Amino acid sequence: MTRVRKYAVAAVATVVVLAATGLGVKTRAEAYRLVTNPRETRSLPRETPADRGLLFEDATVTTPDGLRLVGWFIPSPGQPTVIIQHGYKDNRGSMLGLAALLRRHDYAVLMPTVRAHDRSDGEVIGLGSREMVDLEAWFQYLLGRADVDPNRIGIFGASMGGALVLQYAAGNHRLKAVVADCAFSSITDTVETSVRFFTGLPPFPFAPMILFWVERKLGVAASTIDAKQFIGKISPRPVFLLQGGADRVVSPESGARLYAAANEPKELWFEPALGHATFLADMPEEFEKRITAFFDRHLRLMRQ
């Protein structure tokens, strides 16, 4: 019986080791897939601003680490400028609806891309740990234009782009107004929701293990990828947060968490029935009214 028991224990141990090894291989692969975006599988624009009847210029910048990033600039001389930042594994074309809306209200619009997206260089998505130099390069591009008023620049970000602009605006006090549409409040806040959406795997036990591998791929602690740490530093400049209650991409509680961490002046537009970053698509008139009123109030009326 002792020998049989030893064989049974050894067999169970072997199964556990094999299962753990397989789980580790699977979660590592999923983590690397989440934070890499190879050129051959990227989302690319199907339209340009010209397809929406908008005059535009192709724009490029180079980051301090040598990456070439591409974007579009829609001029409106003498008017305020809004930077509109796309989201995770998305492209600048997804922001054309917003660009057209803002141009109708006489705003100039910069539509940048960040590393590992669209036709820009790089393959690793830093989730905020690497993209601040990208946004700074784009801001410097605007400062170099004679038709841009450096004192009337706002910024809008969707999804991951929302988290990026919150982090960037905290350190760039020349940005006068900030909008974040369904931004994730932090990686740890939303890991269960996002893992389920992007991988199809159940949160337990996969989410913690995927997060473990993400940290090692990016070389940063997950605790540092947290917009809640930055949003309070934007004050006294205004922040406008949008969050859908039926969001399946990021935690639906993200908006409330960011709002609680922000200082005045701040606004939160929460719609229980809306999904992820669908305000413009699902409530176009109200979206246009609120977004333009926000930017008008802080980029135009401030001049009077």
Side-chain angles (χ1 to χ4, degrees):
M1 289 297 297
T2 300
R3 181 177 299 178
V4 171
R5 188 178 296 111
K6 288 181 178 179
Y7 285 149
V9 170
V12 170
T14 300
V15 170
V16 170
V17 169
L18 290 174
T21 300
L23 190 61
V25 169
K26 174 64 174 176
T27 54
R28 181 181 181 184
E30 289 294 341
Y32 283 18
R33 185 174 68 83
L34 286 172
V35 295
T36 56
N37 199 16
R39 286 183 178 272
E40 59 271 18
T41 59
R42 281 188 198 171
S43 168
L44 298 174
R46 296 183 179 182
E47 296 180 278
T48 72
D51 295 307
R52 304 291 182 103
L54 303 171
L55 295 176
F56 77 103
E57 302 173 22
D58 288 312
T60 60
V61 296
T62 301
T63 66
D65 51 344
L67 300 183
R68 180 179 179 272
L69 310 178
V70 300
W72 292 320
F73 182 73
I74 301 169
S76 186
Q79 300 297 326
T81 301
V82 179
I83 304 166
I84 56 175
Q85 181 57 57
H86 65 75
Y88 172 79
K89 291 192 176 180
D90 209 342
N91 64 74
R92 60 198 144 148
S94 67
M95 308 299 285
L96 279 169
L98 176 58
L101 182 159
L102 290 168
R103 187 62 190 85
R104 285 199 303 272
H105 290 263
D106 294 326
Y107 284 92
V109 181
L110 176 63
M111 306 176 67
T113 64
V114 291
R115 62 187 59 211
H117 288 82
D118 203 305
R119 291 187 169 88
S120 289
D121 290 344
E123 291 200 348
V124 176
I125 301 171
L127 303 173
S129 66
R130 305 184 183 193
E131 289 83 2
M132 294 305 101
V133 295
D134 302 355
L135 293 179
E136 177 62 17
W138 283 116
F139 190 79
Q140 292 301 318
Y141 165 86
L142 288 179
L143 296 184
R145 294 189 64 104
D147 57 352
V148 169
D149 183 344
N151 297 312
R152 293 195 294 166
I153 301 176
I155 195 165
F156 179 110
S159 190
M160 182 188 78
L164 295 182
V165 304
L166 292 174
Q167 181 176 345
Y168 179 64
N172 183 347
H173 295 275
R174 301 187 73 172
L175 289 167
K176 302 302 183 184
V178 184
V179 181
D181 183 0
C182 294
F184 61 80
S185 48
S186 74
I187 289 295
T188 53
D189 286 345
T190 196
V191 63
E192 293 188 0
T193 302
S194 297
V195 162
R196 182 186 290 110
F197 180 82
F198 287 111
T199 71
L201 298 172
F204 185 82
F206 294 99
M209 297 187 69
I210 288 174
L211 193 60
F212 170 87
W213 291 115
V214 165
E215 289 181 316
R216 274 138 193 85
K217 178 65 175 178
L218 297 182
V220 298
S223 60
T224 66
I225 304 175
D226 187 344
K228 299 192 304 299
Q229 296 178 5
F230 302 103
I231 193 170
K233 300 175 183 178
I234 297 174
S235 177
R237 293 161 295 142
V239 178
F240 185 15
L241 303 168
L242 288 67
Q243 181 62 56
D247 199 330
R248 297 188 303 112
V249 180
V250 304
S251 168
E253 292 76 34
S254 290
R257 289 168 174 158
L258 287 169
Y259 185 76
N263 291 315
E264 295 290 350
K266 59 183 179 178
E267 301 176 41
L268 172 63
W269 180 11
F270 179 77
E271 287 289 343
L274 293 194
H276 185 66
T278 64
F279 282 79
L280 175 55
D282 293 343
M283 302 182 67
E285 294 181 0
E286 185 67 15
F287 178 89
E288 181 169 358
K289 176 183 175 181
R290 295 198 191 200
I291 294 300
T292 57
F294 177 80
F295 282 128
D296 285 349
R297 188 161 62 250
H298 299 293
L299 299 182
R300 293 190 194 278
L301 297 183
M302 60 177 282
R303 299 273 293 182
Q304 299 178 4

